[in-house]
């Protein structure tokens, strides 16, 4: 029994590490995207469809070599898998990627990240509703800190003032919703068909939809020098292949609520890189918002009694092994 408990703890720690590293990868990719928008004048309608197509192809090749299922077309073999994949591609990966980078283009990477972290609020509420129980006290405190941090970032403490553009706020809220969807919805299909395979096909399908909607060939603008292409492939390799593989592997171990909040390291990295690389200027209220949202990692690390929520433990047991 003790060995089993020790093994579970070790596995959980691995899930925490995966999600934290995924956040680091996302932070680097987000600031690289901001660099492309601000200094190379790329258009989000050009970059995102291209990025998702290239990343999808690379991930599909990788999945064919390393995925345990060995069948990259399994996701299309049943109607249920196909429906799950289409929802994941359209409302999850596709909407999340476009809205996140659209928020960056309208503001900056750190602001986009903070707005995206309203997603854990929605996830925790959904888990509590599904399990008919209240979240753990530390999750409630962490969510309150995330909401308060978002409030200070968007209003600087003044309810009558919105310091963000309407476009940035709109796309930021959309990214929060889509973050919640892709953290919860694909659990069954990734378990059956493989994480890499599912994400790869989702990216390819989402890119096909964005090619039709955005018509990226009509938005070719800006500078296409060496530094621009390096930044683009950071977005593709680090911000797509690496971070999604880490995040969904961690999610399968520790569940959607903790996974989505632990990847808050994205916020810390994006803030540091924005200040020291892109010279973004933040106001005191912005820093307060960053600290509040960043504190969720430490709040979630506070141990709670095991009997605090049988429903949550049931949820974690239902998650498939990676």
């Amino acid at each position: 029994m003790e060995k089993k408990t020790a093994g579970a703890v070790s596995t959980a720690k691995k899930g925490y590490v995966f999600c934290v590293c995924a956040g680091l990868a996302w932070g680097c990719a987000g600031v690289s995207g901001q660099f492309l928008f601000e200094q190379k004048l790329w258009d989000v309608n050009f970059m995102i469809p291209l990025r998702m197509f290239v990343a999808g192809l690379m991930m599909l090749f990788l999945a064919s070599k390393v995925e345990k299922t060995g069948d990259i077309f399994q996701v299309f073999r049943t109607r249920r898998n196909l429906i799950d994949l289409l929802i994941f591609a359209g409302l999850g990966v596709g909407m999340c990627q476009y809205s996140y980078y659209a928020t960056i283009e309208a503001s900056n990477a750190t602001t986009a990240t903070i707005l995206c972290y309203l997603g854990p609020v929605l996830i925790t509420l959904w888990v509590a509703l599904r399990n008919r129980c209240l979240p753990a006290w530390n999750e409630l405190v962490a969510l309150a800190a995330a909401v308060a941090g978002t409030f200070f970032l968007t209003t600087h403490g003044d309810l009558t003032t919105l310091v963000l553009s309407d476009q940035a706020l709109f796309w930021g809220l959309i990214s929060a919703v889509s973050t919640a969807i892709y953290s919860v919805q694909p659990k069954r299909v990734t378990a059956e068909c493989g994480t890499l395979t599912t994400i790869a096909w989702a990216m390819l399908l989402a890119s096909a939809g964005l090619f039709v909607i955005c018509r990226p060939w009509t938005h070719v603008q800006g500078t296409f020098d060496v530094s621009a292409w390096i930044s683009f492939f950071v977005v593709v390799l680090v911000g797509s292949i690496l971070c999604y593989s880490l995040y969904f592997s961690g999610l399968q171990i520790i569940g959607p609520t903790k996974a989505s909040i632990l990847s808050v390291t994205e916020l810390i990295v994006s803030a540091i890189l924005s200040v020291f690389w892109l010279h973004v200027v933040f106001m005191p209220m912005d820093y307060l918002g960053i600290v509040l949202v960043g504190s969720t990692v430490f709040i979630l690390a506070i141990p709670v009694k095991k009997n605090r929520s049988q429903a949550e433990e049931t949820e974690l047991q239902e998650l498939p092994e990676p």
Side-chain angles (χ1 to χ4, degrees), residues 54-68:
V54 174
L57 285 179
M58 290 182 174
M59 291 186 76
L60 193 62
F61 174 78
L62 185 62
S64 68
K65 300 297 182 182
V66 304
E67 202 86 84
K68 292 180 181 179

Side-chain angles (χ1 to χ4, degrees), residues 107-125:
S107 54
N108 57 68
T110 304
T111 299
T113 302
I114 292 178
L115 291 175
C116 188
Y117 272 90
L118 287 176
V121 178
L122 302 177
I123 293 171
T124 300
L125 292 176

Side-chain angles (χ1 to χ4, degrees), residues 241-308:
I241 299 174
L242 180 61
C243 73
Y244 272 101
S245 300
L246 289 170
Y247 180 75
F248 280 97
S249 295
L251 183 148
Q252 289 179 339
I253 297 172
I254 63 175
T257 302
K258 287 183 174 65
S260 59
I261 302 181
L262 280 174
S263 56
V264 76
T265 46
E266 174 188 0
L267 170 61
I268 299 169
V269 171
S270 64
I272 293 173
L273 291 178
S274 293
V275 171
F276 292 101
W277 179 24
L278 301 181
H279 307 294
V280 174
V281 178
F282 293 113
M283 302 297 289
M285 286 293 184
D286 296 323
Y287 285 109
L288 177 59
I290 292 171
V291 170
L292 284 169
V293 177
S295 69
T296 58
V297 173
F298 305 99
I299 295 170
L300 282 175
I302 299 173
V304 295
K305 293 181 179 180
K306 289 186 178 180
N307 61 0
R308 64 177 176 79

Side-chain angles (χ1 to χ4, degrees), residues 30-39 104 108-110 274 278 280:
V31 176
S32 295
Q34 183 180 340
F35 172 76
L36 288 173
F37 297 143
E38 289 186 353
Q39 301 192 19
I104 292 176
N108 57 68
T110 304
S274 293
L278 301 181
V280 174

Side-chain angles (χ1 to χ4, degrees), residues 20-288:
V20 168
C21 289
L24 296 175
W26 263 317
C28 293
V31 176
S32 295
Q34 183 180 340
F35 172 76
L36 288 173
F37 297 143
E38 289 186 353
Q39 301 192 19
K40 301 302 177 180
L41 303 179
W42 284 32
D43 192 298
V44 67
N45 293 297
F46 167 76
M47 190 190 80
I48 297 306
L50 180 62
R51 174 250 185 143
M52 296 189 71
F53 177 72
V54 174
L57 285 179
M58 290 182 174
M59 291 186 76
L60 193 62
F61 174 78
L62 185 62
S64 68
K65 300 297 182 182
V66 304
E67 202 86 84
K68 292 180 181 179
T69 59
D71 182 4
I72 61 173
F73 297 103
Q74 182 180 352
V75 72
F76 297 103
R77 300 196 189 283
T78 68
R79 183 171 178 268
R80 186 179 181 187
N81 284 346
L82 181 58
I83 292 174
D84 283 349
L85 178 64
L86 291 174
I87 294 173
F88 181 44
L91 300 180
V93 172
M95 188 165 69
C96 179
Q97 290 299 300
Y98 185 88
S99 59
Y100 175 66
Y101 282 95
T103 309
I104 292 176
E105 188 178 46
S107 54
N108 57 68
T110 304
T111 299
T113 302
I114 292 178
L115 291 175
C116 188
Y117 272 90
L118 287 176
V121 178
L122 302 177
I123 293 171
T124 300
L125 292 176
W126 180 86
V127 170
L129 181 63
R130 192 191 72 171
N131 293 327
R132 299 178 183 177
C133 69
L134 291 175
W137 70 265
N138 61 330
E139 290 178 352
L140 289 173
V141 173
L143 294 176
V147 173
T150 305
F151 167 75
F152 285 118
L153 176 77
T154 56
T155 68
H156 284 177
D158 185 354
L159 285 170
T160 64
T161 303
L162 184 66
V163 297
L164 295 179
S165 67
D166 293 341
Q167 183 180 6
L169 182 60
F170 172 78
W171 286 117
L173 294 177
I174 293 295
S175 72
V177 173
S178 57
T179 296
I181 292 173
Y182 83 60
S183 294
V184 174
Q185 187 269 339
K187 181 180 71 174
R188 189 202 62 81
V189 68
T190 54
E192 182 174 328
C193 302
T195 300
L196 283 176
T197 299
T198 304
I199 298 172
W201 282 117
M203 284 194 171
L204 288 173
L205 291 174
S207 68
L210 288 175
F211 268 101
V212 174
I213 297 171
C214 299
R215 298 165 51 108
W217 56 89
T218 66
H219 297 280
V220 180
Q221 63 183 47
T223 303
F224 294 85
D225 57 12
V226 174
S227 61
W229 285 114
I230 290 175
S231 296
F232 174 73
F233 279 102
V234 168
V235 172
V236 171
L237 297 174
V238 177
S240 295
I241 299 174
L242 180 61
C243 73
Y244 272 101
S245 300
L246 289 170
Y247 180 75
F248 280 97
S249 295
L251 183 148
Q252 289 179 339
I253 297 172
I254 63 175
T257 302
K258 287 183 174 65
S260 59
I261 302 181
L262 280 174
S263 56
V264 76
T265 46
E266 174 188 0
L267 170 61
I268 299 169
V269 171
S270 64
I272 293 173
L273 291 178
S274 293
V275 171
F276 292 101
W277 179 24
L278 301 181
H279 307 294
V280 174
V281 178
F282 293 113
M283 302 297 289
M285 286 293 184
D286 296 323
Y287 285 109
L288 177 59

